Amino acid sequence: MPRPARKVAGFLAALLPVAVAVGVYAFGRAHTPDYTSGFFGRHGRVAVNDLKARLGSALMALAVVQLLLGLWMYRRLPGAGAAPHRVHPTHRLIGLLAFLLSLPIAYHCVTAYGVEFTNSRVAVHSITGCVLYGAFVAKVLVVHSRRLPGWALPAAGGALVTAIALMWYTAALWFFTRSAPGF
């Protein structure tokens, strides 16, 4: 590929994660929320949010495992030594499972609530939800690129794990601590 074409392709690839995040945001803002929608057969805000908080916690656990496996693969996990060959496909499989687990949660959030700014917690959650899928696209692009600097993959993976953690903190943890007796 000629040099100018590579620059254009690189520019378009850099815009793709931003376009995904902006697209999710635009849909969430333009979509009319349906606060009565169910989630895997559950209805009612408490039942739906309880299930989403549990699934979100499972997603957070998968993200932590992904982070640890990634650190192990690149010999950044103290005391772990070199990762065996099976760690690489396990990392990919858990990443796929995490992505698939996130989809029904995100779909329900964006169709039931949209992108809202009713308070700071909800605003951070909404914006981070949009950024999450942009970060996912960025990580996939970085993984498949051979021309990016060495810091790009940990930065993309770190952004993705951070987005998941922030989503969990502003939703699942908030729900569990708010719903628990004594809180």
Side-chain angles (χ1 to χ4, degrees):
M1 184 182 303
R3 187 175 175 97
R6 274 190 292 177
K7 283 188 176 186
V8 169
F11 178 73
L12 292 175
L15 281 182
L16 187 58
V18 174
V20 168
V22 169
V24 173
Y25 173 84
F27 178 80
R29 289 300 287 169
H31 179 74
T32 303
D34 177 10
Y35 300 109
T36 64
S37 68
F39 187 66
F40 290 116
R42 294 210 179 172
H43 291 277
R45 245 187 156 142
V46 172
V48 166
N49 288 337
D50 180 65
L51 179 57
K52 284 187 353 189
R54 291 176 192 284
L55 292 175
S57 294
L59 176 61
M60 183 66 220
L62 290 174
V64 168
V65 171
Q66 277 293 90
L67 175 63
L68 293 173
L69 290 174
L71 290 171
W72 195 10
M73 286 188 317
Y74 290 96
R75 294 182 173 216
R76 299 289 189 251
L77 192 61
H85 177 70
R86 69 182 179 277
V87 169
H88 296 269
T90 302
H91 181 76
R92 280 189 220 103
L93 178 62
I94 290 174
L96 175 63
L97 291 174
F99 176 73
L100 293 175
L101 178 60
S102 76
L103 290 176
I105 302 166
Y107 177 79
H108 185 268
C109 283
V110 79
T111 58
Y113 308 116
V115 173
E116 295 181 348
F117 300 105
T118 53
N119 62 51
S120 58
R121 180 192 64 82
V122 171
V124 167
H125 187 77
S126 290
I127 295 300
T128 306
C130 299
V131 169
L132 173 71
Y133 288 98
F136 175 78
V137 170
K139 183 169 186 273
V140 169
L141 290 173
V142 168
V143 164
H144 291 289
S145 174
R146 302 276 186 241
R147 296 190 174 109
L148 293 172
W151 57 263
L153 184 57
L160 187 55
V161 170
T162 301
I164 292 170
L166 193 52
M167 295 291 296
W168 177 80
Y169 178 79
T170 57
L173 182 63
W174 177 84
F175 175 80
F176 289 138
T177 58
R178 193 177 130 250
S179 301
F183 284 94

